[in-house]
């Protein structure tokens, strides 16, 4: 058994290998029709971007905890406000927003309603109103690229 | 829920601060119970695990400890979200525990 395998078994090395310079992005979105758009945007960036997807609050939280526990927190979390199942993107922000380097909300809500929702919560994350297009997604993705490894 | 907590306490897993009002409290303690059960499985056989939640001004403080005859670990973190404070403290505990385990191999 090599030292690296030994250290992995002792959980001293993350089991998920990270690529040098790789940016890690979590997209929390229950509308799967947006997935091809995001994939196209992220593939066209000059840096490697590892994307994880979640459609529910529970799934997103598990991914955030997993990444953090393995020493590789997300550079960017993009979350819709309304998700499948119980809980919302705002719950995710309230519980784990501090853990992400960048956190962006996307939703069809008018910005005035979003600001009203956020006035009841801490912090002021960025907000992009749907519908999303290539330019908006690219601008959001650039926020992840701004961070080092 | 009190039956579950009683069972965990009989195994050596303690929770303090459950009376403190926190956002998404039910979810938080559900996560905490699951994670502390997992942690307890990884500590020495005579080990116990304790989580203490407190207010720290507007923030939340989590103190997390592992005690056994072989090792004692105490880590804490403060954050706006109890979920984040817990996650950070837990990661520190696992880091120390894993290094200790590695050291036992040599």
């Amino acid at each position: 058994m090599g030292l690296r395998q030994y250290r992995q078994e002792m959980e001293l090395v993350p089991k998920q290998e990270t690529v040098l310079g790789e940016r890690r992005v979590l997209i929390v979105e229950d509308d799967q029709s947006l997935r091809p758009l995001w994939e196209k945007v992220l593939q066209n960036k000059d840096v490697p971007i590892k994307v994880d997807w979640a459609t529910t609050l529970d799934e997103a939280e598990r991914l955030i905890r997993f990444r953090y526990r393995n020493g590789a927190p997300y550079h960017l979390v993009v979350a819709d406000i309304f998700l499948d199942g119980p809980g919302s993107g705002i719950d995710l922000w309230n519980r784990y927003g501090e853990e992400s380097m960048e956190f962006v909300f996307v939703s069809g809500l008018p910005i005035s309603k979003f600001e009203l929702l956020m006035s009841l919560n801490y912090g002021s994350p960025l907000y992009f109103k749907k519908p999303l297009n290539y330019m908006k997604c690219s601008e959001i993705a650039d926020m992840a690229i701004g961070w080092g490894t | 829920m009190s039956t579950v907590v009683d069972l965990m306490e009989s195994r050596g897993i303690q929770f303090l601060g459950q009376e403190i009002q926190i956002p998404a409290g039910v979810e938080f303690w559900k996560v905490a119970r699951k994670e502390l059960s997992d942690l307890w499985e990884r500590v020495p056989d005579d080990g116990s695990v304790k989580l203490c939640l407190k207010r720290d001004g507007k923030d939340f403080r989590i103190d997390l400890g592992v005690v056994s005859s072989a090792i004692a670990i105490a880590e804490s973190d403060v954050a706006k979200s109890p979920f984040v404070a817990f996650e950070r403290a837990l990661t520190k505990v696992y880091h120390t525990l894993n290094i200790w385990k590695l050291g036992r191999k040599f």
Side-chain angles (χ1 to χ4, degrees):
Chain A
M1 179 194 297
L3 178 61
R4 184 166 185 81
Q5 183 182 355
Y6 174 78
R7 286 166 64 85
Q8 279 184 332
E9 289 190 5
M10 293 300 292
E11 297 179 356
L12 291 171
V13 173
K15 290 187 171 60
Q16 288 230 346
E17 296 289 343
T18 54
V19 173
L20 187 63
E22 180 184 78
R23 306 300 191 270
R24 295 172 293 279
V25 176
L26 172 64
I27 298 182
V28 190
E29 171 66 76
D30 62 341
D31 182 354
Q32 291 296 296
S33 70
L34 291 173
R35 196 158 173 158
L37 172 61
W38 277 112
E39 284 175 350
K40 187 176 174 184
V41 165
L42 296 170
Q43 275 165 14
N44 286 340
K45 293 298 177 184
D46 293 333
V47 298
I49 297 182
K50 173 82 175 73
V51 183
D52 290 328
W53 297 86
T55 60
T56 66
L57 171 65
D58 188 52
E59 201 177 344
E61 287 183 332
R62 272 191 273 120
L63 283 167
I64 287 173
R65 284 199 295 269
F66 173 77
R67 283 284 181 190
Y68 187 78
R69 203 75 58 77
N70 281 281
Y74 289 107
H75 294 97
L76 170 67
V77 175
V78 183
D80 195 348
I81 290 177
F82 303 109
L83 304 170
D84 273 345
S88 69
I90 292 182
D91 293 323
L92 185 66
W93 163 256
N94 283 334
R95 296 177 197 181
Y96 292 101
E98 279 172 281
E99 214 46 59
S100 317
M101 296 179 196
E102 290 282 2
F103 196 110
V104 174
F105 276 112
V106 294
S107 174
L109 276 182
I111 190 151
S112 56
K113 288 206 171 157
F114 172 73
E115 286 174 349
L116 182 63
L117 275 176
M118 291 311 297
S119 68
L120 304 171
N121 300 275
Y122 85 90
S124 50
L126 288 170
Y127 178 71
F128 282 76
K129 190 175 178 310
K130 287 181 173 179
L132 296 177
N133 55 33
Y134 188 95
M135 289 297 295
K136 279 185 185 174
C137 290
S138 185
E139 191 179 336
I140 294 168
D142 285 342
M143 293 177 194
I145 293 170
W147 290 95
T149 52
Chain B
M1 186 160 75
S2 62
T3 307
V4 172
V5 171
D6 290 342
L7 180 64
M8 294 183 87
E9 289 195 354
S10 70
R11 289 165 64 195
I13 304 173
Q14 263 192 296
F15 302 92
L16 300 174
Q18 295 187 80
E19 70 286 355
I20 295 174
Q21 292 293 319
I22 60 174
V26 169
E27 283 303 315
F28 173 76
W29 290 110
K30 186 176 159 188
V31 168
R33 281 194 298 275
K34 192 234 175 253
E35 295 293 347
L36 256 58
S37 272
D38 289 347
L39 176 61
W40 183 83
E41 297 287 339
R42 296 169 149 182
V43 304
D45 289 343
D46 65 343
S48 64
V49 177
K50 184 192 281 189
L51 180 155
C52 180
L53 168 72
K54 292 177 190 165
R55 274 280 187 185
D56 187 328
K58 289 186 179 177
D59 295 344
F60 294 94
R61 180 189 172 101
I62 292 284
D63 294 301
L64 193 50
V66 172
V67 176
S68 76
S69 56
I71 185 172
I73 304 171
E75 296 288 355
S76 62
D77 206 278
V78 175
K80 288 184 175 49
S81 161
F83 291 83
V84 169
F86 175 63
E87 197 57 39
R88 289 175 182 165
L90 187 62
T91 299
K92 291 179 203 175
V93 166
Y94 269 120
H95 181 74
T96 304
L97 191 62
N98 289 337
I99 289 176
W100 172 75
K101 282 185 181 177
L102 179 64
R104 288 176 71 207
K105 291 284 181 178
F106 295 99

